[in-house]
């Protein structure tokens, strides 16, 4: 397969959904440019995303970032991008059933990510957090006590039923992009809801082991320790507001 230089278009100040793509590219040691993180003078910044949304990259017009350009292909929707990259980066098994399973799990992760975001913006993303604090408290309570345990319990059973040994994977017997995304979701939930996360993950030893193992993969470790990894903050999907952690 020819070497492709990938271009990622994603908001430069947050991990957000772009991080799921960054982790896959980093784990594979792929050559990529995080375009919006380049200076404006090098055609970076938010302007790069606006141009991409305006159709300047060609291909099918994307609705929202993350957007990946690979040669002439322009691909949006996080799960779709990962389904494209998975085989190219060796991050998914080759059989059809495994690829479908990986995409299915990635879409479930997308649902979880959407719900995590809606804890701090339950009414609208266009309103300030301060304008929806009361509703956010109510949404976060349900998320912490019902939804997070249900999602993490589901993924724990998935790992439990797949293989042997302490470290298990979401799909097949090797690391896939789904494992990287699970790592990211666990990192995000631990940041946003440290108390609830500690409580819920007492019951999910497989997820805890996977999180630790992914963090120690050499390329991921190097990435996490580098300035390329944007710290979690209160502009992203996973935000730490102590009042939402019960
Ligand atoms: N389902 C899409 C969601 C994309 C999305 O919501 N992107 C956010 C940033 S994380 C955005 O910029 N949304 C703008 C909007 O929805 O108007 C995906 O998984 O990629």
């Amino acid at each position: 397969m020819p070497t492709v230089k990938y271009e990622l278009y994603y908001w430069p100040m947050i991990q957000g959904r772009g991080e799921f793509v960054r982790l896959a590219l980093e784990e594979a040691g792929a050559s990529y440019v995080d375009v919006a993180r380049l200076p404006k003078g090098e055609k970076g910044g938010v302007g790069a995303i606006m141009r991409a949304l305006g159709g300047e990259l060609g291909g099918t017009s994307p609705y929202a970032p993350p957007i990946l350009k690979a040669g002439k292909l322009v691909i949006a929707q996080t799960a779709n991008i990962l389904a494209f990259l998975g085989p190219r980066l060796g991050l998914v098994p080759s059989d059809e059933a495994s690829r479908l399973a990986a995409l299915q799990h990635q879409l479930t992760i997308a649902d979880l990510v959407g719900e995590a975001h809606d804890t701090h913006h339950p009414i609208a993303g266009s309103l300030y957090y301060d304008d929806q604090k009361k509703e956010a408290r109510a949404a976060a309570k349900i998320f912490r006590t019902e939804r997070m345990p249900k999602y993490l319990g589901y993924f724990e059973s998935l790992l439990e039923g797949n293989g042997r040994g302490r470290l298990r994977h979401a799909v097949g017997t090797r690391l896939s992009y789904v494992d990287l995304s699970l790592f990211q979701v666990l990192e995000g939930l631990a940041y946003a809801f440290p108390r609830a996360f500690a409580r819920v993950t007492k019951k999910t030893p497989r997820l805890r082991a996977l999180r630790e193992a992914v963090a120690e993969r050499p390329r991921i470790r190097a990435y996490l320790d580098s300035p390329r990894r944007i710290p979690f903050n209160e502009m992203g999907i996973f935000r730490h507001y102590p009042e939402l952690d019960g």
Side-chain angles (χ1 to χ4, degrees):
M1 215 171 277
T3 312
V4 181
K5 184 152 190 181
Y6 297 103
E7 288 176 19
L8 172 65
Y9 292 78
Y10 192 71
W11 304 116
M13 62 302 262
I14 59 170
Q15 293 181 14
R17 289 179 174 86
E19 199 65 12
F20 298 100
V21 182
R22 291 189 186 110
L23 284 170
L25 293 166
E26 292 280 347
E27 167 61 28
S31 172
Y32 77 101
V33 185
D34 205 338
V35 181
R37 295 188 72 194
L38 294 173
K40 263 190 192 172
E42 290 175 39
K43 297 200 168 175
V46 169
I49 296 172
M50 302 324 281
R51 289 190 288 278
L53 293 175
E56 262 191 29
L57 303 179
T60 306
S61 198
Y63 171 73
I67 302 158
L68 185 81
K69 188 163 190 298
K72 286 188 181 161
L73 292 174
V74 179
I75 309 155
Q77 290 286 351
T78 314
N80 192 35
I81 294 171
L82 290 169
F84 167 79
L85 284 177
R88 286 162 180 81
L89 302 182
L91 285 173
V92 73
S94 56
D95 62 291
E96 186 178 39
S98 298
R99 289 193 183 178
L100 286 171
L103 178 55
Q104 175 182 318
H105 299 322
Q106 194 63 41
L107 288 164
T108 306
I109 291 171
D111 292 342
L112 165 54
V113 168
E115 290 191 33
H117 170 272
D118 291 351
T119 58
H120 50 78
H121 279 77
I123 299 185
S126 54
L127 295 177
Y128 290 113
Y129 169 61
D130 279 349
D131 296 330
Q132 44 195 320
K133 262 181 147 172
K134 189 165 153 259
E135 293 82 359
R137 269 180 192 263
K141 185 174 180 193
I142 292 174
F143 182 77
R144 288 192 318 265
T145 57
E146 295 176 16
R147 304 301 289 165
M148 181 159 63
K150 184 170 178 185
Y151 276 114
L152 296 192
Y154 167 76
F155 285 117
E156 178 73 11
S157 322
L158 186 70
L159 297 185
E160 185 64 40
N162 195 22
R164 293 155 179 261
R166 184 169 170 273
L167 178 60
R168 309 206 183 169
H169 296 97
V171 183
T173 52
R174 289 179 48 219
L175 185 96
S176 72
Y177 66 78
V178 182
D179 297 317
L180 297 171
S181 294
L182 281 174
F183 163 78
Q184 176 62 12
V185 160
L186 295 170
E187 290 292 302
L189 292 174
Y191 172 78
F193 305 100
R195 284 155 52 95
F197 182 80
R199 201 167 50 241
V200 173
T201 52
K202 271 192 193 135
K203 296 189 191 134
T204 64
R206 303 280 173 215
L207 283 175
R208 291 203 311 267
L210 180 66
R211 181 184 176 204
E212 281 167 23
V214 170
E216 290 317 318
R217 292 184 71 83
R219 284 180 176 149
I220 295 294
R221 183 76 268 154
Y223 169 63
L224 297 177
D225 292 341
S226 79
R228 298 194 300 288
R229 171 80 163 179
I230 301 165
F232 283 110
N233 58 44
E234 279 52 64
M235 294 179 286
I237 292 173
F238 297 104
R239 303 187 189 188
H240 179 56
Y241 295 125
E243 63 275 21
L244 300 189
D245 195 16

